[in-house]
Amino acid sequence: ILFKNTVIPPLGLLTYALVGFGLMYPGNAWICGKVLGFAGFGLHCPAGAAGGIDYAAGGYTYWTDFMYQGMFAATAATIVSGAVAERIKFHSFLIFSVIFVALVYPFIGSWGWGKGWLDALKFHDLAGSTFVHSVGGWAALAGVIFLGPRTGKYVAGKARPIMGHSLPLATIGVFMLWFGWYGFNGGSVLSADPMKVSYVFVTTTLAACAGIMSAMLTSWWLQKKPDLSMMLNGCLAGLVGITAGADTVSVSASIIIGLIAGVLAVLAVLSFDHLRLDDPVGALSVHLVNGVWGTLAVGFFSSEYAFLPQLIGVAAVGAMSFIGASVIFYVLKKTIGIRVSEEEEARGLDLGEHGMEAYGGFQIFTTQ
């Protein structure tokens, strides 16, 4: 996981620079209506003020646009990495990530953020409940299906818990993500307007808080004990849920969105286990389920945007993301394979894939 999530940002940014940016933001170079366009390979900043103060009405520069959207593209692949953890071949995952980030993600993103057909319908997604989180979530679902569950996860028809090794690190990670979300959502206002940015900060914060509380109470009720891992996912679920409409829903609506997101996260984890869809980190529950919920919530709670365009966007993006990821995983499975052997899985991918341990210095001593 450490290796994958270190290599994905450079892979994502390099491929996005090569082809993704031109595919996602074709400008006037639409090839097929407002569905497919391509502005060319590489980065071609407009000369002079056109790439600076005149770019995006002075809100940000061409280079800012690339950096911000390039990191969003890489984020979509990191969502997949958690869902397929502990059984995928490293090189197969890298090939998937390159193709998905270079072609599938920007093609879908062009429909909305690139001023494509969804934008013409007035589909609204401020910071990526759909274009980042659900895109990554649908791809993760395809990966989970093609890989199958980890060995020993489902025994005698029941899900067997396979605990993560460090709840303190998980908690720290969630707080880091929460902090990063202020850049994620606040930056997507696409200006330094203090009123707009600070408002997004408030709705983002309250949705996360509501997600924590509802996930805690739901897990406490269903499992008879308050589950920390569920509560952490509830925080992320609230953040994902508010990401589409943080700029357009009311403060009270943001709390409702977060409350529902936290409940959905817990119920989704239990439901995916019931369906024998093995997701070690709850990526499907957080990013897919609540990416969909957050996008639809804009249609429920915003006075500016209608429900039908939000529903159409969810359906279209979901279909394209799942189909695109499924094709890539299917081809990889039939050619080089995507899953490690049972022996390597039992031994651990740290040793099998990388020849080193995450925690060195431990030795097994015997009396023989």
Side-chain angles (χ1 to χ4, degrees):
I1 290 293
L2 294 172
F3 205 109
K4 284 192 293 185
N5 287 353
T6 300
V7 78
I8 284 173
L11 274 180
L13 285 167
L14 289 170
T15 54
Y16 198 70
L18 177 64
V19 64
F21 195 49
L23 188 60
M24 190 163 174
Y25 294 94
N28 296 320
W30 290 99
I31 300 167
C32 179
K34 290 283 188 174
V35 177
L36 174 65
F38 186 51
F41 293 96
L43 300 177
H44 307 284
C45 181
I53 191 64
D54 292 339
Y55 189 83
Y60 49 92
T61 72
Y62 174 91
W63 299 118
T64 304
D65 200 7
F66 164 73
M67 279 298 301
Y68 205 75
Q69 296 301 333
M71 287 307 298
F72 270 19
T75 298
T78 64
I79 292 169
V80 182
S81 74
V84 299
E86 300 189 333
R87 72 261 204 218
I88 195 169
K89 290 182 177 179
F90 177 68
H91 64 285
S92 298
F93 178 76
L94 288 188
I95 295 171
F96 167 82
S97 298
V98 168
I99 298 172
F100 192 78
V101 173
L103 301 177
V104 179
Y105 171 85
F107 168 56
I108 295 171
S110 71
W111 296 350
W113 290 345
K115 305 301 180 183
W117 68 276
L118 278 179
D119 180 70
L121 287 180
K122 286 203 72 177
F123 174 84
H124 183 71
D125 184 7
L126 171 70
S129 284
T130 283
F131 289 126
V132 178
H133 295 284
S134 80
V135 167
W138 287 111
L141 177 61
V144 167
I145 292 172
F146 278 92
L147 272 173
R150 290 167 291 174
T151 302
K153 174 62 179 176
Y154 301 106
V155 180
K158 294 184 178 180
R160 173 177 168 267
I162 302 176
M163 301 303 295
H165 86 282
S166 174
L167 283 174
L169 283 181
T171 305
I172 292 169
V174 166
F175 273 95
M176 291 175 69
L177 283 168
W178 190 350
F179 180 72
W181 232 277
Y182 295 116
F184 201 82
N185 285 3
S188 292
V189 172
L190 302 180
S191 78
D193 185 320
M195 283 296 290
K196 292 180 180 179
V197 174
S198 59
Y199 183 79
V200 167
F201 284 177
V202 170
T203 56
T204 298
T205 302
L206 293 179
C209 293
I212 290 173
M213 297 306 298
S214 63
M216 179 190 73
L217 294 173
T218 304
S219 68
W220 204 337
W221 177 51
L222 293 175
Q223 300 173 300
K224 311 307 177 188
K225 296 285 184 181
D227 185 320
L228 175 60
S229 63
M230 291 289 196
M231 191 168 68
L232 296 176
N233 273 344
C235 175
L236 299 180
L239 291 165
V240 171
I242 197 60
T243 289
D247 62 331
T248 190
V249 302
S250 68
V251 170
S252 58
S254 72
I255 296 173
I256 296 171
I257 291 170
L259 286 171
I260 295 174
V263 174
L264 288 176
V266 176
L267 296 180
V269 167
L270 300 176
S271 298
F272 284 126
D273 263 344
H274 181 72
L275 295 171
R276 299 173 67 89
L277 294 172
D278 183 17
D279 174 10
V281 299
L284 300 178
S285 306
V286 169
H287 299 282
L288 173 53
V289 172
N290 282 288
V292 169
W293 158 239
T295 306
L296 297 178
V298 173
F300 290 130
F301 294 105
S302 171
S303 60
E304 299 178 59
Y305 300 97
F307 177 75
L308 185 58
Q310 299 300 113
L311 180 62
I312 292 172
V314 165
V317 170
M320 190 66 244
S321 302
F322 184 77
I323 292 170
S326 295
V327 169
I328 301 170
F329 276 122
Y330 177 80
V331 172
L332 290 173
K333 186 173 183 177
K334 293 298 181 181
T335 53
I336 61 175
I338 58 175
R339 181 158 182 157
V340 300
S341 67
E342 190 172 334
E343 293 76 18
E344 186 176 343
E345 185 180 346
R347 188 180 178 215
L349 272 63
D350 289 0
L351 292 172
E353 292 287 289
H354 304 285
M356 61 180 65
E357 294 179 308
Y359 304 91
F362 295 94
Q363 296 181 354
I364 299 175
F365 293 96
T366 68
T367 57
Q368 301 297 320

